[in-house]
């Protein structure tokens, strides 16, 4: 089952708290040196998966395998301290009674003092904190503490590093800078990384592949590009990025009758003639054009800098979003003409998909 | 780690039984009423007991409220000469036991005492020296000793409010004084009320000071019904009434303490209202007077007396007392900290509501006044002794009696009363260890032993030492339970101070009293350092 290039495999794992199953039959194959994200709302089971990989949670079915060695199964579990996985916690979990150097070299207890000192210096330089080894955790800012936590996890030269919402306590600007830095460090060292986050931008910034989770099930396991442009189901379409769903009916192959008239596009799914569907319209599919085919009224405008996000109301009352370069300013209340770029048409069958996915998407 | 929670839970339930027993025997004591004694009590004493207790509650309550809050407002929100010294010095009276200030004041204001003479010389004939052995005198002593509870809590509340809200008030047109009255004071109300409740609990529980002043209160009546009438049941019945007052104060404190947590804003150093000229110096003099009567006077007077007798008194008898005081304090501290640690560990996961409730029950022990506790424990030991001898006799042996007054009874009492004192620092040091730290240590390759050795022990040690110290010092100062339960010959500093003082032999009380003040200063210094 495990192909040679796969480093870490989660095979059909199931996790339970008492009678409550929070992870269902979940499988992931992660390549050596790959950086992956588990993305989803809180309570979707992503942290439980990470803690199961770390060895803090038992699994009740399936197996977790590293380099063809069994780490966890329903009956066996290698303890966390024997796994040599680095772990970075949401609250950093630095030891308050130790200084930064002692924190970083916590795992190097068998090394001599001079080796530990040298290691600490190197790692602190790597994370941009040179010279702070003698300080105590409470003397550092949140971002600095998170860097220490990363250095501490790297000190034991782990094969895999696990990060649980590592940047969620930081402000937005610092979050993105640190995410990029961490990504570079892990890539340079060839360390396999799994990060849990609820922030899709963080996931896009760092991950090679992203697993979108909902209700303990992986909804899609793909690159960030594909999650946005080829969402596998309605949940992913609504969770990743912005957009609107337009009702329509299928005619023949690839032609769709909607509010906006007939729309042609490349149809991925085979849909039968006459089927009721919903079509995903992303804000970047919309372009203003004085000779455009469609018409709508501007009811809201959000200036974002390079672009403005317009909320457009169609004659039927349905609303779509349009992301337009901000120099093409149009006023609220005005009627505009626009075109839809539907090369990449995403369509969900109404009845079928509603029954399966809408119920869950409604929670939010 | 510590997966064996069942052992922890068992210990916690045992502790709960230990704490609940004295409460139960006190509250269930009404089955056997000695009519003769009660007739006597109702005829001669009971009305006095009630009115005196009410006077104390009203007088001490309003006194500490006004004095403590005013002092806290002055030192945190105003500036005047000497402010930064008064800021911490006003906590020093914490180190003076009430019975010590009581007998010092009694001497100084009685006929021929230094203050009596001073008033006589300065105002000769215009005003009579006040009668200290009166309701007002008792209230004054209690206010001077217990105002630091209100001062400390109000001060912390004012500081943690920051000044942003006062600035908001001023921007809405309030003067600084109006802003204090309408914003800072209402926000600090829970903390202030909690301080008043603590002061009242201590007042109700006091035995030494009221006894020295001959002021009839419940604690004194409890002691009399045991010592004069040998009626444990009457003592227990009186105790149950006192217990009601004490529990009311405790629940008041708990409720207020809970609310005060919500008012925490940024802690920028507050802008201080400048008191200049005569107002500044007037404030300085007024606060100096408080400090003079509550701390400087007793310490200086004790030093003078102590110097007179140190030659004869610093003898083997003194060191025997020291030994008894330390051995009782030390073993009680160990017991209380062990109990507190088990309780804190059992409560840590906060999953089991039964443990939560048991934990709350256990910390009620703090509300038991020492004399009430002593009566409860004597009843328990008497019953156990009776049962024991009947069992032994039934088996055909010769019964050895179980002593009501013994070291075991004392340690029982200290454990019930001071478990809460130990619980605070132990729990807060345990709270520093977040679950993720243990997991971090594991992910860095540490096993069970390593996690205990490298994470738990070093982080817990300061809190445990703090708890040991605080319980030890509280036990050393504890008077009523020790006085009633100590085995023959086991005099502690507190007992010796009280015995000598109640017989008017001030000089002989000075050395043990001074020793108590000195050890009492230790936690105050720690408190002061933490509060800065």
């Amino acid at each position: 089952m495990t192909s040679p290039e796969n480093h870490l495999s989660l095979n059909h794992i199931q996790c339970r708290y008492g009678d409550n199953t929070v992870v269902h039959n979940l499988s992931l194959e992660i390549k050596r040196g790959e950086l992956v994200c588990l993305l989803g709302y809180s309570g979707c089971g992503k942290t439980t998966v990470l803690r199961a990989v770390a060895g803090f949670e038992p699994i009740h079915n399936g197996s977790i395998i590293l380099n063809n060695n069994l780490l966890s199964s329903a009956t066996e579990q290698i303890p966390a301290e024997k796994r040599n996985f680095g772990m970075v916690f949401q609250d950093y979990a630095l030891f308050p009674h130790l200084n930064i150097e002692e924190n970083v070299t916590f795992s190097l207890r068998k090394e001599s003092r001079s080796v530990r000192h040298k290691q600490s210096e190197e790692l602190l330089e790597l994370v941009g904190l040179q010279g702070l080894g003698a300080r105590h955790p409470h003397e550092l800012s949140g971002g600095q503490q998170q860097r220490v936590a990363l250095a501490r996890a790297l000190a034991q030269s782990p094969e895999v590093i696990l990060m649980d919402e590592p940047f969620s306590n930081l402000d937005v600007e610092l979050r993105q800078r640190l995410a990029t830095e961490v990504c570079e460090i892990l890539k340079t060292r060839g360390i396999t990384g799994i990060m849990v986050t609820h922030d899709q931008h963080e996931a896009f910034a760092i991950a090679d592949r992203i697993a979108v989770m909902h209700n303990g099930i992986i909804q899609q396991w793909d690159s960030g590009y594909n999650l946005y442009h080829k969402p596998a189901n309605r949940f992913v379409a609504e969770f990743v990025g912005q957009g609107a769903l337009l009702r329509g009916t299928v005619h023949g192959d690839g032609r769709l009758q909607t509010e906006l008239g007939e729309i042609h596009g490349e149809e991925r799914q085979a849909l039968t003639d006459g089927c009721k569907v919903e079509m995903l319209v992303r804000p970047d599919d919309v372009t203003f054009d004085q000779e455009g085919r469609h018409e709508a009224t501007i009811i809201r405008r959000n200036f974002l800098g390079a672009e403005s996000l317009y909320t457009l109301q169609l004659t039927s009352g349905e609303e779509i979003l349009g992301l337009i370069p901000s120099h093409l300013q149009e006023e609220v209340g005005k009627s505009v003409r626009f075109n839809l770029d539907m090369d990449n048409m995403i369509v969900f069958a109404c009845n079928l998909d509603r029954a399966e996915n809408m119920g869950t998407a409604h929670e939010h | 780690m510590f997966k064996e929670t069942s052992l922890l839970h068992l210990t916690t339930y045992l502790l709960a039984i230990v704490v609940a027993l004295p409460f139960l025997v006190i509250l269930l004591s009404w089955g056997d009423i000695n009519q003769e004694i009660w007739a006597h009590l109702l005829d001669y004493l009971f009305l006095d007991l009630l009115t005196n207790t009410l006077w104390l509650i009203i007088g001490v309550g309003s006194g500490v409220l006004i004095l403590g809050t005013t002092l806290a407002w002055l030192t945190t929100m105003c500036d005047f000469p000497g402010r930064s010294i008064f800021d911490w010095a006003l906590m020093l009276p914490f180190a003076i036991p009430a019975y010590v200030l009581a007998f010092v004041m009694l001497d100084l204001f009685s006929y021929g005492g230094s203050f009596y003479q001073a008033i006589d010389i300065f105002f000769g004939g215009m005003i009579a020296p006040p009668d200290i052995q009166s309701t007002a005198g008792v209230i004054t002593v209690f206010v001077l000793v217990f105002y630091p509870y209100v001062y400390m809590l109000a001060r912390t509340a004012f500081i943690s409010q920051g000044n942003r809200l006062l600035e908001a008030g001023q921007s809405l047109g309030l003067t600084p004084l109006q802003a204090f009255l309408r914003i800072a004071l209402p926000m600090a109300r829970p903390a202030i009320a909690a301080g008043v409740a603590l002061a009242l609990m201590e007042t109700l529980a006091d035995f030494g000071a009221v006894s020295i002043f001959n002021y009839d209160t419940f604690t004194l009546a409890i002691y009399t019904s045991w010592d004069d009438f040998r009626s444990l049941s009457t003592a227990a019945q009186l105790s149950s009434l006192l217990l009601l007052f004490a529990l009311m104060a405790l629940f008041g404190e708990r409720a207020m303490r809970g609310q005060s947590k919500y008012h925490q804003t940024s802690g920028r150093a507050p802008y201080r209202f400048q008191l200049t000229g005569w107002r500044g110096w007037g404030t300085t003099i007024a606060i100096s007077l408080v400090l003079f009567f509550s701390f400087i006077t007793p310490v200086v007077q004790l030093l003078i007396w102590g110097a007179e007798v140190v030659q004869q008194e610093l003898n083997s008898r003194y060191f025997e007392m020291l030994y008894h005081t330390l051995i009782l304090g030390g073993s009680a501290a160990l017991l209380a900290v062990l109990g507190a640690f088990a309780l804190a560990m059992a409560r840590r996961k906060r999953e089991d509501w039964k443990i939560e409730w048991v934990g709350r029950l256990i910390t009620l022990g703090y509300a038991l006044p020492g004399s009430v506790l002593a009566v409860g424990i004597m009843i328990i030991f008497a019953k156990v002794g009776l049962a024991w001898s009947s069992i032994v006799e039934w088996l055909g042996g010769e019964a050895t009696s179980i002593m009501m007054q013994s070291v075991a009874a004392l340690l029982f009492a200290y454990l019930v009363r001071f478990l809460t004192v130990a619980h605070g620092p132990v729990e807060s040091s345990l709270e520093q260890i977040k679950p993720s730290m243990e997991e971090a240590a594991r992910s860095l390759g540490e096993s069970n032993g390593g996690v205990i050795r490298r994470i738990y022990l070093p982080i817990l040690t300061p809190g445990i030492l703090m708890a040991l110290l605080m319980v030890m010092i509280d036990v050393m100062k504890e008077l009523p339970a020790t006085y009633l339960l100590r085995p023959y010959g086991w005099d502690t500093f507190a007992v010796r101070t009280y015995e000598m003082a109640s017989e008017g032999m001030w000089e002989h009380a000075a050395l043990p009293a001074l020793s108590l003040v000195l050890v009492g200063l230790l936690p105050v210094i720690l408190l002061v350092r933490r509060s800065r």
Side-chain angles (χ1 to χ4, degrees), chain B residues 250-284:
Chain B
L250 179 83
F251 288 130
E253 195 264 345
R254 290 275 160 92
M256 293 304 170
R257 200 55 88 85
Q259 288 178 25
S260 67
K261 279 180 190 155
Y262 298 105
H263 303 299
Q264 296 278 330
T265 52
S266 66
R268 222 176 88 216
Y271 164 81
R272 295 203 169 86
F273 188 57
Q274 302 291 324
L275 299 177
T276 47
W278 65 269
R279 287 201 295 181
W281 286 105
T283 309
T284 308

Side-chain angles (χ1 to χ4, degrees), chain A residues 12-25:
Chain A
H12 308 286
I13 68 166
Q14 188 200 53
C15 299
R16 282 203 304 253
Y17 296 118
D19 292 335
N20 183 17
T21 305
V22 291
V23 175
H24 305 267
N25 194 24

Side-chain angles (χ1 to χ4, degrees), chain B residues 103 300-319 321 496-497 500 504-515:
Chain B
F103 80 77
V300 170
Q301 183 62 65
L302 289 179
L303 283 172
I304 292 171
W305 281 327
E308 285 172 20
V309 296
V310 70
Q311 293 286 322
Q312 312 91 285
E313 293 270 305
L314 204 62
N315 51 18
S316 60
R317 190 195 169 98
Y318 178 86
F319 288 107
M321 278 190 301
R496 173 83 176 166
T497 305
M500 290 298 107
M505 300 160 82
W506 316 131
E507 297 85 356
H508 297 287
L511 219 49
L514 207 52
S515 315

